[in-house]
Amino acid sequence: MTTQTCVTVIGTIFQVLGALFLVLQSFQTSRKLGKYNAQVTYDNFSSIISDLAREVGGQFRQQLVGFMFVLLGSALQLYGAVAV
């Protein structure tokens, strides 16, 4: 197997891992938010919004990790495609 092929395969593996990571994190968040059961009243509205904002805001780090894997995989595939 040539170096170009190896780099392309490794890049594809990184992309698949990144995509799987993003899907799993989205699934976990969906389950967590699905279980969030609160009786919304005027008194607790702001705390409920704060809880939800914290959960959604925490997604940035998870998405960043997943997209970094996808980016690395794309870069490796591009390198494998043009490397001589």
Side-chain angles (χ1 to χ4, degrees):
M1 195 180 307
T2 66
T3 303
Q4 288 175 311
T5 304
C6 288
V7 170
T8 303
V9 168
I10 291 170
T12 303
I13 291 169
F14 272 111
Q15 284 184 325
V16 169
L17 289 175
L20 283 173
F21 180 80
L22 289 169
V23 168
L24 288 174
Q25 293 301 318
S26 296
F27 180 70
Q28 286 179 351
T29 299
S30 172
R31 286 183 55 200
K32 198 180 293 184
L33 292 176
K35 291 179 183 178
Y36 189 80
N37 189 10
Q39 189 69 20
V40 180
T41 64
Y42 182 76
D43 295 332
N44 69 357
F45 185 72
S46 65
S47 66
I48 290 172
I49 294 297
S50 294
D51 291 343
L52 293 174
R54 250 190 319 277
E55 179 61 35
V56 172
Q59 293 300 304
F60 175 74
R61 181 171 286 144
Q62 296 169 352
Q63 291 175 1
L64 182 63
V65 170
F67 282 115
M68 291 306 286
F69 272 93
V70 172
L71 178 65
L72 179 61
S74 297
L76 287 171
Q77 284 184 338
L78 182 62
Y79 175 76
V82 298
V84 179

